[in-house]
Amino acid sequence: MSAYQPDEFEGVQTDAAADLAGVPDAFQRLWTPHRLVYIQHGQQPDEHACPFCRAPEMSDEQSLIVARGTHAYALLNLYPYNSGHLLVCPYRHVATYDEATPEEVAEIGELTQIAMRVVKQVSKCDGFNLGMNQGRIAGAGIAEHLHQHIVPRWALDSNFFPIVAGTKALPRLLGEVRQEIAEAWPA
């Protein structure tokens, strides 16, 4: 695709912006209309329906929890970017990292390290993305409850495409992955 050249369209008359839809420019586009609902309405749960507060009240299998600590726990992401995508959450309903207690911060860090070791052992991944999105504007799916993402990565996985194109092939079922990680977690 060639870059837009201003003189290519000199003299073209248009009455509506829609007439310009086919005008080439320097951008490649991936259309993601499925994200419009999220953009318009968000996906923040009601304050009494926080999934990270409810998860510890259910069985580990039901909530996808792989390990429980004193101040925090680790569970599989229900909507993973990759197989083995884990979240580490404090039990306490706190929104941002700076609101966490030193004990919560320490255990989130410890569980993150253990999770990386276990996932590396069971999945043979080549690396990880770790991250916390703080607040809705920063992209937090559940902004009111702190959670750390641990996303295993492989040399040949597809990087950005699943996020922007809304398509991801996950070769394993969540229940299988949860059981394998939970069984490999040190006592």
Side-chain angles (χ1 to χ4, degrees), residues 43-54 57 92-94 142-145:
Q43 60 185 25
Q44 301 304 314
D46 175 88
E47 65 182 89
H48 303 292
C50 175
F52 300 139
C53 289
R54 293 180 59 214
E57 298 169 357
R92 194 167 62 93
H93 189 80
V94 55
I142 307 296
E144 297 304 317
H145 198 124

Side-chain angles (χ1 to χ4, degrees), residues 53-144:
C53 289
R54 293 180 59 214
E57 298 169 357
M58 298 185 283
S59 73
D60 290 356
E61 293 77 14
Q62 201 176 17
S63 61
L64 301 174
I65 291 176
V66 298
R68 294 175 185 256
T70 304
H71 304 284
Y73 65 97
L75 75 163
L76 282 177
N77 189 332
L78 186 57
Y79 303 104
Y81 292 138
N82 278 336
S83 292
H85 178 171
L86 292 169
L87 304 172
V88 177
C89 307
Y91 291 109
R92 194 167 62 93
H93 189 80
V94 55
T96 57
Y97 194 67
D98 60 320
E99 295 173 1
T101 66
E103 295 81 15
E104 289 167 334
V105 168
E107 192 162 60
I108 289 168
E110 180 182 5
L111 290 172
T112 298
Q113 287 182 321
I114 295 169
M116 291 173 67
R117 292 180 193 120
V118 170
V119 171
K120 193 182 306 179
Q121 173 191 332
V122 301
S123 74
K124 310 295 187 252
C125 63
D126 300 309
F128 292 92
N129 290 120
L130 300 178
M132 293 183 186
N133 300 324
Q134 304 286 282
R136 285 182 67 184
I137 196 70
I142 307 296
E144 297 304 317

Side-chain angles (χ1 to χ4, degrees), residues 66 118 121-123 172 175-185:
V66 298
V118 170
Q121 173 191 332
V122 301
S123 74
R172 310 226 14 242
E176 293 173 358
V177 175
R178 193 217 68 81
Q179 182 176 351
E180 186 174 32
I181 292 172
E183 288 174 359
W185 203 276

Side-chain angles (χ1 to χ4, degrees), residues 31-39 162-167:
W31 301 103
T32 57
H34 63 279
R35 297 215 11 102
L36 187 59
V37 171
Y38 173 73
I39 292 166
I163 297 166
V164 297
T167 303

